[in-house]
Amino acid sequence: MSDSAERPAPSGEPRQRTPRAGRDLPAAIGVGAVLVALVVLGLFFLPLVLVALAAVAAGVGTWEIGQSLNRKRGMRIPLIPAVVTGALFPFAAYFGGSESLIYTVLGSIIVVILWRALGRRDGMLTSIMGSIFTMLWVPFMLALAILLFRQEDGAARVFTIVLMAIGNDTWGYIAGVLWGKHPMAPRISPKKTWEGMAGSLVGSMAVGILCAIFLLDDAWWIGAVLAVLLVIASTAGDLSESMIKREIGIKDMSNILPGHGGVMDRLDSVVFAVAAGYVVFVVLG
């Protein structure tokens, strides 16, 4: 997510929409509130709600990326097998753990290869590689959240990552609007600034330390370490999606979420944060 107010894009590049502005603001707030409510419901009361939400996000995110690459770059990613198998990743992680997830990933790759092998022969390698990239980017990283959820104190850990992701975007946006002057990557995301990243880091560290002490019953420094890595990962995820969108010439992956754009426009930083959080919690035990 962006960390400053909308600025004119360089010539020839798409403008980036700020969903919080104007008439999109009520819709953005409403959609965001519903999504957060569903996450909380799934984390602490009905686990299958969380798994289903992750599966839907995985499938829709895969479709958004695949159809964008197909339409703008003609990659011919086979959307049906990619979307269907990708949506199975969270269920495999929840019911079978890491081993089942690995088998599902390998099976999905085989299905995509066979599906593509029966189609047009031109561009076959590009199509397959694009499919694998898309499924590992979105469904696999979301499935890591489900693996983390299955662990001891998993609900609290995932909730901590969600809170820190929200804090990362919120404080980064505020700092970017108030003090943002030095773009991090002007050719990729002109609105993301070093000042905004500093705001993200401060806000995420505050949230991380509080969650480590009061929610995870752990040492405060674990929250600080988690915050630093999550901010770096979230920024990488945000810049990665911005790079892809600018490369293919679009401003949003889709318009499926009113006031937000596409699912990937909200998950760009979250999926990387989930992966980083999973590694931190596994390494630190």
Side-chain angles (χ1 to χ4, degrees), residues 259-276:
H260 289 272
V263 167
M264 284 306 302
D265 296 307
R266 299 302 76 158
L267 291 181
D268 52 0
S269 59
V270 174
V271 292
F272 277 68
V274 166

Side-chain angles (χ1 to χ4, degrees), residues 10 137-138 142 178 213 252 264:
W137 180 15
V138 188
L142 285 175
L178 295 178
I213 296 174
D252 291 318
M264 284 306 302

Side-chain angles (χ1 to χ4, degrees), residues 55-56 58-64 78-88 112 135 139:
V56 171
V60 175
T62 301
W63 172 80
E64 287 179 345
L79 292 179
I80 293 178
V83 170
V84 172
T85 57
L88 295 177
V112 166
M135 289 188 294

